[in-house]
Amino acid sequence: MSDVEEQADVRPGPGGPLAHRVPDLGALELLLAVARLGSLGGAAREVGISQPAASSRIRSMERQLGVALVDRSPRGSRLTDAGALVTDWARRIVEAAEAFDAGAQALRDRRDSRLRVAASMTIAEYLLPGWLLALRAGRPDTAVSLLAGNSTVVAERLLSGEADLGFVEGVSVPAGLDSAVIAHDRLIVVTAPGHAWARRRRPLEASELAATPLILREKGSGTRQVLDAALGGLARPLIELSSTTAVKAAVVSGAGPAVLSELAVGEELALRRLVRVPVEGVALARDLRAVWPTGHRPVGPARDLLSLTRG
C-alpha cells in the first residue's frame, strides 16, 4: 500500500466542528492550483510556499478527508478520481469565499466613507480642526461630520449610535463608554483688563472664586463639571452660556470673570483683551479623553483619528 493510500485510509470521525472536517481555504486553493498546473512544484510557487510545505499540506488534507487526492510521479502530479471530485467542490467553496471577501470589502468601504464625530466644545473648537486636517491627508475620500456639544450630549450621541467617536472634557467617563486620555488641559480664571481682579497683587483664594458669581457654561459641560468638582460647589451663575466662544465674548465685554480652558484664550491673553488671574488652593488641571461605546473599540477612520490625537 502506498503512503497516500495509508494516509487516506485514516477516516475522520463523524460529527464535531465543521472546521475540523473541512480543509481550510489555503489547502483548497493549493489543490486547485495542482489541478490547473499538473505540477505540485508549480502549484507551490503560485501560492507562495515551498514544495515540501505543499506536499505536507496535500498529505494533511488527504488524512483529514480520508481519501487520496493526488498521484505523484516523476512526470508530475495528477488528481485521483476522488481528487477531481473534491476539486469541483473546492472550486465552489473558493468562489463563495471570494464573494464573501468582496462583500466584506464593500462593507468596509461603506464604513470608511464617513466618520461621525461628537466632541465637547473646547476640543471641537481648538484641537479637532488640526486632527481632521491630518486625517484628510491620509483619508481624502472619508466624509467627516462633527457635532459639537457638551459632554452629556457627546455621550448620548455615542450611545444612540449617532456618532462613531467622541471627545469629552469632564471629570469622569460617562456610563457605558470606554475611554483613553489623549491630552491634558488647564482651566484658568480670566477677566477683562478693567475688572478689579485684573489689578490684584495676590492670587485669588479658591473660596473667593467659589463664592463669586461667574460667567459659566451650561450644566453638563465638561468645563463646568471640573470647576464644580474642584471648588466643591459654585455660586449661582452670573450668566449661563452654551459655548466657549460666547463665554469669552461676555468676559471681553466686561460682563464678569470666567474660568476657561488655556487652549481657548491664548490669543486673547496675548492681545491683552483678557487678563489671567492667579488662583491658589485649587488644582484646575483636567484630562481630555476620547470615548466610544464600551466593548466597541474604534475601527477604520475612527481608529485613524484616535491615533492622530496621540501623535
Side-chain angles (χ1 to χ4, degrees):
M1 184 180 292
S2 70
D3 289 345
V4 171
E5 288 169 332
E6 288 178 0
Q7 293 157 357
D9 195 47
V10 180
R11 301 288 194 274
L18 190 60
H20 294 169
R21 294 180 282 123
V22 177
D24 62 44
L25 281 173
L28 297 179
E29 288 179 316
L30 175 62
L31 183 63
L32 291 174
V34 171
R36 185 171 62 256
L37 300 173
S39 164
L40 189 60
R45 287 191 294 274
E46 181 170 290
V47 300
I49 61 176
S50 68
Q51 184 164 340
S55 295
S56 176
R57 186 169 289 185
I58 291 293
R59 286 196 298 270
S60 177
M61 184 163 41
E62 289 172 332
R63 285 195 299 270
Q64 186 177 25
L65 296 177
V67 295
L69 301 173
V70 178
D71 282 334
R72 305 161 186 80
S73 73
R75 295 185 301 276
S77 299
R78 179 181 62 83
L79 296 181
T80 64
D81 290 344
L85 185 58
V86 170
T87 298
D88 286 340
W89 299 337
R91 186 172 292 108
R92 281 179 255 169
I93 293 172
V94 170
E95 288 173 353
E98 290 171 344
F100 180 95
D101 180 58
Q105 183 61 51
L107 289 176
R108 289 191 294 271
D109 290 343
R110 186 171 69 181
R111 177 204 67 194
D112 293 354
S113 67
R114 66 171 187 176
L115 174 61
R116 300 166 301 166
V117 180
S120 50
M121 298 301 296
T122 300
I123 296 175
E125 291 183 65
Y126 301 101
L127 293 176
L128 259 174
W131 296 337
L132 293 178
L133 281 174
L135 179 70
R136 183 168 180 80
R139 286 185 174 270
D141 296 328
T142 297
V144 180
S145 60
L146 171 61
L147 169 75
N150 62 40
S151 296
T152 300
V153 170
V154 170
E156 290 171 353
R157 293 295 176 132
L158 286 167
L159 294 173
S160 67
E162 297 175 70
D164 305 304
L165 185 64
F167 297 94
V168 296
E169 311 154 7
V171 293
S172 61
V173 179
L177 302 180
D178 288 338
S179 72
V181 175
I182 51 138
H184 303 282
D185 186 26
R186 186 183 305 277
L187 299 180
I188 61 174
V189 179
V190 292
T191 68
H195 192 276
W197 283 2
R199 297 184 294 275
R200 290 180 65 100
R201 295 187 177 182
R202 297 184 59 185
L204 191 67
E205 295 285 343
S207 58
E208 185 177 357
L209 179 62
T212 300
L214 302 171
I215 302 171
L216 293 174
R217 286 283 310 280
E218 79 286 3
K219 290 182 178 180
S221 76
T223 299
R224 183 159 174 174
Q225 289 174 8
V226 171
L227 183 60
D228 195 2
L231 296 177
L234 295 169
R236 183 175 179 177
L238 180 65
I239 308 174
E240 194 172 74
L241 299 169
S242 61
S243 77
T244 300
T245 300
V247 172
K248 277 199 303 183
V251 179
V252 169
S253 73
V259 179
L260 290 169
S261 164
E262 251 183 343
L263 296 170
V265 294
E267 181 179 350
E268 287 78 9
L269 291 175
L271 295 174
R272 294 288 299 172
R273 297 176 65 202
L274 291 177
V275 176
R276 179 173 182 166
V277 181
V279 182
E280 62 182 13
V282 63
L284 294 177
R286 63 177 176 176
D287 294 329
L288 306 182
R289 295 181 175 89
V291 288
W292 56 88
T294 299
H296 297 277
R297 189 146 185 97
V299 296
R303 179 194 58 219
D304 291 351
L305 179 58
L306 179 58
S307 69
L308 288 170
T309 67
R310 297 165 167 174

